[in-house]
Amino acid sequence: MSYIIVTGGAGFIGANVVKKLNELGEDKIFIVDNLSNSEKWKNLVDLSFEDYIHKDKFIDELKKDKIKFLVKAIIHLGARSSTTERDVDFLMENNYEYTKELAKWSIKNNVRFIYASSAATYGDGSMGFSDNHAFIPNLRPLSAYGYSKQIFDLWALKKGLLDKIVGLKYFNVFGPRENHKGDMRSMVLKAYEQIKRDGKIRLFKSYNPQYKDGEQLRDFIYVKDAVEMTLFFLENKDLNGIFNVGTGIPRSWNDLAKAVFSALGANPNIEYIDMPEEIKGKYQYFTKAEMEKIRKSGYTKPTLSLEEAVKDYILNYLEKN
């Protein structure tokens, strides 16, 4: 009997991946994570899985060749994902070195390896948002987090491993099971909470003359669609390389705010506030996933519109909880 290992399995995307696997009848799953003092454990309550392993124990067992059960796939979604994290040594150890160990072990043992890269690797977007491997060396991330993801993509490219593994560049993902993420929660959830508390939504002012306040653009993707794309590569083992996970349709923060108000049956009330100095230089004003590569690879499912996704999230999850 073989198992699927999901690192970050108690986290946002990871727990949603496990939930979908359960719905597909799969429960031979090992969840690898670090619950620490967070609320992530709540994401595990309704999931069915074989066992939980702390991330430090797991990597130690991997290095010492103590993994004695058959593994058919590692879906590596565990990482320090804060774009404001300043401990670069921690990011390099947790996001780069850890991923290298998993990749090397997976290739050595002929195990399917799917890992989370990030749209943060694209930086300010001046080099575009192509998931063509030739563009990887040209990218300039704006945050240490983005760099910790970029440097693994570069390592895999230089080692000639991108024809053996899958890297997924997730854009702005939102949806159920993100409550534990603190400041890194999506704006959909933050906006919902602000409306419930204050009756209005606060958005950052624009400091780029090309964009009016609230008209900064992002590629927002619902976590359900992100999970579908992730598991597409679990099913299609002949597909490898780096792929964008987004919609290909950039929408403004104002669009998002209006979608939240609409889902709640309220009139828009938006306040534009100053952007903190520490993030001004790291702020992305525009993101748009190029989706041609994954579409040409055979992924045909449509993605929900921003309005449809926000409505589902709010009415079927946030309002019920």
Side-chain angles (χ1 to χ4, degrees):
M1 185 175 296
S2 57
Y3 297 85
I4 297 172
I5 295 172
V6 181
T7 73
F12 172 36
I13 299 177
N16 278 286
V17 164
V18 175
K19 179 66 174 177
K20 183 62 178 181
L21 286 171
N22 286 170
E23 292 172 359
L24 295 172
E26 179 67 72
D27 62 1
K28 300 303 179 185
I29 302 166
F30 278 84
I31 287 179
V32 176
D33 214 312
N34 175 16
L35 298 180
S36 188
N37 59 355
S38 74
E39 295 290 296
K40 283 194 291 185
W41 66 269
K42 294 180 179 179
N43 284 339
L44 300 178
V45 173
D46 64 335
L47 303 182
S48 179
F49 53 95
E50 187 74 16
D51 204 355
Y52 166 86
I53 308 174
H54 190 280
K55 75 177 189 70
D56 293 340
K57 180 181 178 183
F58 177 67
I59 202 69
D60 184 62
E61 291 184 352
L62 210 60
K63 289 179 178 179
K64 296 179 180 177
D65 200 26
K66 292 182 179 180
I67 301 297
K68 301 303 180 184
F69 53 86
L70 289 176
V71 180
K72 65 179 177 181
I74 294 179
I75 304 177
H76 178 43
L77 304 173
R80 174 60 173 168
S81 59
S82 174
T83 55
T84 58
E85 176 61 62
R86 295 183 177 181
D87 188 340
V88 183
D89 281 338
F90 175 74
L91 285 169
M92 295 298 285
E93 180 64 32
N94 204 56
N95 294 0
Y96 175 52
E97 295 294 345
Y98 199 102
T99 309
K100 281 171 61 179
E101 291 294 336
L102 293 184
K104 288 187 288 187
W105 184 90
S106 297
I107 291 168
K108 176 183 175 183
N109 290 278
N110 196 31
V111 169
R112 184 67 163 152
F113 185 63
I114 301 169
Y115 74 94
S117 181
S118 173
T121 58
Y122 289 117
D124 64 5
S126 60
M127 300 303 298
F129 298 91
S130 172
D131 46 10
N132 186 311
H133 297 170
F135 289 95
I136 296 174
N138 301 327
L139 301 180
R140 298 292 182 267
L142 296 176
S143 66
Y145 161 72
Y147 179 69
S148 72
K149 291 293 188 176
Q150 164 77 351
I151 195 173
F152 178 80
D153 293 345
L154 281 169
W155 177 82
L157 177 66
K158 291 175 181 177
K159 295 294 183 180
L161 303 181
L162 292 182
D163 60 346
K164 300 176 183 179
I165 62 179
V166 176
L168 301 178
K169 294 199 174 190
Y170 294 100
F171 278 66
N172 284 70
V173 188
F174 67 93
R177 302 177 191 266
E178 62 169 315
N179 299 65
H180 65 280
K181 289 171 64 68
D183 287 342
M184 298 308 297
R185 292 170 300 159
S186 76
M187 191 58 209
V188 179
L189 177 53
K190 291 179 180 178
Y192 171 81
E193 293 173 342
Q194 288 175 14
I195 292 172
K196 289 291 186 178
R197 184 181 64 244
D198 305 320
K200 62 182 177 181
I201 291 175
R202 297 174 180 85
L203 299 176
F204 288 141
K205 294 176 182 177
S206 172
Y207 295 85
N208 183 329
Q210 296 182 34
Y211 299 91
K212 296 180 180 179
D213 291 342
E215 290 301 308
Q216 306 97 314
L217 296 167
R218 287 284 196 284
D219 193 329
F220 301 105
I221 180 169
Y222 198 28
V223 71
K224 292 183 179 181
D225 290 320
V227 166
E228 291 285 350
M229 292 184 194
T230 302
L231 295 182
F232 170 74
F233 292 98
L234 183 64
E235 299 163 2
N236 294 276
K237 298 180 180 179
D238 58 323
L239 296 176
N240 293 295
I242 288 180
F243 295 83
N244 285 333
V245 174
T247 66
I249 305 172
R251 301 292 300 275
S252 71
W253 292 108
N254 286 333
D255 289 338
L256 182 147
K258 291 173 184 177
V260 176
F261 278 111
S262 177
L264 291 171
N267 293 322
N269 182 7
I270 304 172
E271 176 187 353
Y272 301 102
I273 62 174
D274 294 333
M275 187 183 296
E277 288 295 329
E278 62 267 21
I279 69 171
K280 280 185 180 180
K282 304 173 183 177
Y283 189 80
Q284 291 176 304
Y285 278 84
F286 175 84
T287 65
K288 177 188 176 183
E290 291 191 16
M291 298 301 292
E292 184 179 7
K293 186 176 178 181
I294 191 172
R295 293 299 184 188
K296 283 187 174 180
S297 296
Y299 186 82
T300 59
K301 293 182 180 179
T303 54
L304 289 174
S305 70
L306 178 63
E307 288 76 12
E308 291 170 329
V310 167
K311 184 176 181 180
D312 180 68
Y313 183 22
I314 288 177
L315 298 186
N316 295 321
Y317 295 93
L318 298 179
E319 286 286 85
K320 291 185 178 181
N321 292 316

